[in-house]
Amino acid sequence: MDYARAQGTFVIGIDGGGTHTRVACVDLDGHYLSSASGGGGSPMHNDDAEVNVRATLARALEDADLDPAGAAGLVAGMAGFDRPSSPTEARYNRDVERFFEIDGMTCPGTVVNDAVIAHHGALSGHAGVIVVAGTGSMILAINERGDEIENGQFDHYAGAARHLVHDVVQRILTGESSPTDPLYSAAKAYFGVDDVHGLREVVLQRSSANRNDTKRSYGDFAPQVTALAEESPLADVALRALVARTAQGVRLLAPLVDTDPVPVACTGSLASDPSFLRRLDQALSSGTPRRMQLVSPRLHPLGGAALLALTLAGVDSNDTVLVALESALGICQGE
């Protein structure tokens, strides 16, 4: 660490999601120097995104006494940051880019959508498809030529944690769930109501509340839905509906990748849940002529950001570097 600090040979990887911002500093061999975790960094989901990102980045640098002038490269993957070919209007991009205008930092830096760092981390820079689902959702293919294509370019959206909960709540309100279903009871307890009438009133009240607060409050119930998926018919049908939309998005993108079978990795609090993964594996194994294979991510998104930052700094990301990043990521993810 002293050598890296003296020579200015470290890079910064940032994963800014709707729930957490994670920052890692690694040397040019991929070895861990420091890390920090803070509040959500997506302006799409967080009113205080800039404060969260800047504070988390500052803490990661300060904890290892790293001089910003010594950074050799920075890559940030940010939820809500639109890619050049995205069907949306890049409404947050300039705001997000300003998050990283740090005094004394002159290294090359780039900001990409968080699905891009997730893809590079999970598949080590190889072609394939990544499913991201947590606070937000995107399905992204990167082919052998490096082309990036997202499901939104096909006017498709699969849904994230809050959408799973919306489905559960709507099914309860329309009488599609038995009062004896364990998720029915869990939903009443979570929303602090005694019956369907009370749940309807809470939903109506939340419709006029702060949008970002409301999205998080619904999304926070998703882990209870997936935890009950094997014993609750309501949880199972809602999860399968979201998985079916996700599988459709993967099928739209798979023909753009030449690899056979097409590797499909998943990341995010919802997409990496075992209940989600089991159902997605079932959905992808039937009803399509193109072979697809679920694979475990080699690196989490933060590792993907660090990997891209090393590439930006001119480092050949060989297997030795990847192994070092795996170790560094394990430390960072444990925070």
Side-chain angles (χ1 to χ4, degrees):
M1 184 170 69
D2 291 337
Y3 175 80
R5 191 163 62 234
Q7 299 299 315
T9 52
F10 70 94
V11 299
I12 303 168
I14 300 173
D15 175 19
T19 303
H20 301 287
T21 298
R22 295 185 173 93
V23 179
C25 300
V26 300
D27 68 19
L28 296 191
D29 293 319
H31 297 129
Y32 176 84
L33 298 176
S34 68
S35 63
S37 179
S42 169
M44 180 183 292
H45 302 297
N46 306 96
D47 297 330
D48 54 355
E50 181 173 359
V51 172
N52 293 338
V53 171
R54 287 183 176 275
T56 308
L57 175 54
R59 194 163 63 252
L61 293 169
E62 291 167 1
D63 286 353
D65 194 22
L66 294 169
D67 185 346
L74 178 151
V75 170
M78 309 298 292
F81 190 88
D82 292 316
R83 300 175 309 98
S85 58
S86 174
T88 52
E89 298 177 354
R91 57 196 182 279
Y92 298 111
N93 284 19
R94 182 57 192 134
D95 290 338
V96 172
E97 287 169 344
R98 281 195 292 265
F99 294 0
F100 308 101
E101 295 173 356
I102 306 299
D103 289 344
M105 187 178 292
T106 60
C107 67
T110 188
V111 184
V112 297
N113 185 272
D114 61 335
V116 175
I117 63 169
H119 192 291
H120 279 270
L123 300 175
S124 304
H126 297 296
V129 177
I130 187 77
V131 174
V132 181
T135 306
S137 171
M138 181 185 286
I139 306 171
L140 177 71
I142 300 180
N143 63 21
E144 288 77 6
R145 295 174 298 281
D147 301 325
E148 299 176 6
I149 311 96
E150 69 179 79
N151 58 319
Q153 292 174 251
F154 291 95
D155 295 316
H156 175 274
Y157 187 71
R162 67 185 184 277
H163 300 100
L164 174 64
V165 177
H166 291 331
D167 191 3
V168 168
V169 169
Q170 291 162 11
R171 290 176 189 273
I172 292 174
L173 293 178
T174 56
E176 298 177 54
S177 172
S178 167
T180 61
D181 191 299
L183 185 58
Y184 184 97
S185 299
K188 288 194 300 179
Y190 179 80
F191 289 100
V193 300
D194 297 323
D195 51 29
V196 172
H197 175 74
L199 181 60
R200 184 174 291 110
E201 291 301 311
V202 166
V203 170
L204 290 174
Q205 290 168 9
R206 293 187 177 204
S207 67
S208 59
N210 178 277
R211 177 168 171 75
N212 285 331
D213 291 343
T214 299
K215 287 192 291 187
R216 282 191 295 273
S217 70
Y218 278 109
D220 287 346
F221 184 56
Q224 292 192 53
V225 178
T226 56
L228 289 170
E230 310 309 322
E231 54 185 295
S232 161
L234 172 60
D236 180 60
V237 70
L239 187 55
R240 287 188 184 279
L242 190 145
V243 164
R245 295 193 297 273
T246 303
Q248 179 74 350
V250 174
R251 292 191 189 100
L252 286 168
L253 297 177
L256 302 170
V257 179
D258 294 336
T259 308
D260 184 26
V262 178
V264 180
C266 295
T267 189
S269 58
L270 176 60
S272 59
D273 185 281
S275 297
F276 180 99
L277 288 170
R278 281 194 294 273
R279 288 161 177 77
L280 182 60
D281 192 27
Q282 294 169 3
L284 293 178
S285 64
S286 60
T288 177
R290 191 66 193 274
R291 291 200 307 160
M292 292 166 282
Q293 181 180 16
L294 277 184
V295 299
S296 298
R298 178 161 188 182
L299 295 170
H300 288 281
L302 186 59
L307 180 63
L308 284 169
L310 286 167
T311 301
L312 189 65
V315 175
D316 178 20
S317 300
N318 54 38
D319 197 63
T320 301
V321 170
L322 286 168
V323 169
L325 283 175
E326 285 178 310
S327 177
L329 179 67
I331 295 171
C332 298
Q333 291 298 112
E335 290 194 337

